[in-house]
Amino acid sequence: MSEPNPDEWVLVAELSELTRRKKKQVIVAGTPIALFLVNGRVFALHDTCVHKQRSLSKGTLLHGRIICPGHQWSFDPATGEAVDQTECQPTHDVRVEDGKIYVDPLPRSRRAETGAAAYPARVAG
């Protein structure tokens, strides 16, 4: 199986799927990705936590932050940074158009390594 084309976006969900629970797990190129709806914006992070390998999509949203169900680390949904920790959760660019959510298959750090252009996340709505 070849690497996904970094210039292609993957349709992963309808925005309406996030309105009630504010979170959802999707699979992009064989990788579990957690989608979160926070203050009207959609964010995508690798779903497997960097610390205890728990599913972030099974965690909670509290004050705009993602709380891991395994150890209660608090992650910034935009950057993947954890409070008072050196480890960072991989994030993916997100695009919302006509109520459909698209995710870039390459994590942001990998995109930077390849020199590919980044795309800004769009406000849901």
Side-chain angles (χ1 to χ4, degrees):
M1 182 182 242
S2 64
E3 285 284 314
N5 183 338
D7 295 325
E8 292 182 13
W9 291 85
V10 178
L11 173 63
V12 294
E14 298 284 331
L15 184 58
S16 60
E17 296 175 59
L18 288 178
T19 55
R20 189 173 72 93
R21 293 194 65 225
K22 311 290 186 217
K23 58 187 179 176
K24 176 181 178 67
Q25 184 194 69
V26 297
I27 304 296
V28 176
T31 301
I33 303 291
L35 299 177
F36 294 94
L37 181 62
V38 180
N39 298 324
R41 289 187 62 194
V42 177
F43 297 94
L45 293 88
H46 192 285
D47 193 37
T48 306
C49 180
V50 293
H51 179 234
K52 291 286 187 181
Q53 291 69 51
R54 298 288 298 270
S55 173
L56 290 182
S57 62
K58 293 183 179 176
T60 58
L61 283 171
L62 183 64
H63 306 297
R65 299 197 55 95
I66 299 161
I67 310 300
C68 179
H71 49 75
Q72 280 60 63
W73 277 15
S74 172
F75 293 97
D76 181 319
T79 65
E81 293 176 356
V83 172
D84 298 327
Q85 305 296 330
T86 58
E87 295 174 84
C88 188
Q89 193 68 21
T91 60
H92 293 260
D93 286 320
V94 175
R95 191 172 81 197
V96 178
E97 291 180 358
D98 299 321
K100 297 182 184 323
I101 302 169
Y102 298 85
V103 171
D104 185 331
L106 290 179
R108 285 188 183 126
S109 61
R110 178 103 183 276
R111 175 171 289 288
E113 290 170 10
T114 65
Y119 297 89
R122 296 203 180 170
V123 175

